[in-house]
């Protein structure tokens, strides 16, 4: 390798941050943890105007929550000044990197990027509060703890059976953590 680059490579200590992710790697104990606590803190500051003074959100969205578009023009007019697009966009990055559990909520909220209501904005704020509350919890890749084996991929899939267009989800895992996840609406 040093011949191909003329010996101009200076090896450094292992990375501790990369694209807004904090990396905690311990080769001796066999794990690598990825979190985004600084990202969530920054997002909290950016949208602090919409957050309550204190909160603890343990789940991204309450069960059986309806994410319906505004029913009237008045509802849309009440909400169109709110930074819904910016908030959902802010939530999308960690949903793809370290907080896969919010992916379904973000996908459902993303359907309303053209017209949203105050209720939808409040649901998005709830997802933000969940991310801030759980900011120290991320992904942990481990050596030897995955029941499928070391360096063995495993996959899971599920779908709703709702009338209309069902939603499906698929997850690929490697060494005990998710490496790829997708939530999408199926065509009928």
């Amino acid at each position: 390798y040093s011949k191909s680059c003329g010996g101009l490579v200076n090896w450094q200590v292992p990375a501790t941050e990369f694209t807004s992710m904090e990396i905690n790697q311990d080769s001796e104990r066999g794990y690598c943890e990825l979190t985004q606590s600084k990202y969530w803190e920054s997002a909290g500051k950016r949208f602090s105007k919409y957050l309550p003074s204190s909160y603890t959100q343990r789940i991204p969205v309450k069960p059986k929550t309806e994410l319906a578009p505004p029913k009237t023009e008045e509802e849309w007019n009440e909400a169109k000044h709110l930074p819904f697009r910016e908030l959902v966009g802010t939530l999308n990055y960690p949903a793809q990197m370290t907080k896969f559990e919010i992916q379904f909520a973000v996908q459902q909220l993303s359907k309303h990027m053209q017209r949203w209501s105050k209720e939808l904005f409040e649901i998005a704020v709830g997802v933000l509060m969940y991310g801030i509350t759980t900011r120290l919890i991320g992904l942990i890749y481990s050596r030897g703890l995955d029941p499928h084996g070391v360096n063995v991929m495993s996959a899971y899939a599920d779908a709703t059976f709702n009338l209309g267009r069902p939603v499906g989800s698929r997850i690929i895992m490697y060494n005990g953590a998710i490496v790829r996840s997708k939530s999408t609406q199926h065509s009928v």
Side-chain angles (χ1 to χ4, degrees), residues 41-53 55 128 132:
E41 288 166 7
S42 176
K45 287 176 186 166
R46 180 176 178 193
F47 296 100
S48 62
K49 174 180 175 179
Y50 307 101
L51 295 170
S53 58
Y55 53 87
L128 174 64
I132 295 168

Side-chain angles (χ1 to χ4, degrees), residues 125-140:
V125 168
V127 177
L128 174 64
M129 290 190 302
Y130 169 80
I132 295 168
T133 300
T134 62
R135 68 188 175 279
L136 299 176
I137 302 169
L139 297 174
I140 298 180

Side-chain angles (χ1 to χ4, degrees), residues 141-156 172-179:
Y141 297 93
S142 60
R143 181 179 58 221
L145 296 178
D146 188 338
H148 298 95
V150 176
N151 298 335
V152 175
M153 286 193 178
S154 55
Y156 302 90
I172 299 173
M173 297 185 68
Y174 189 75
N175 288 337
I178 297 171
V179 291

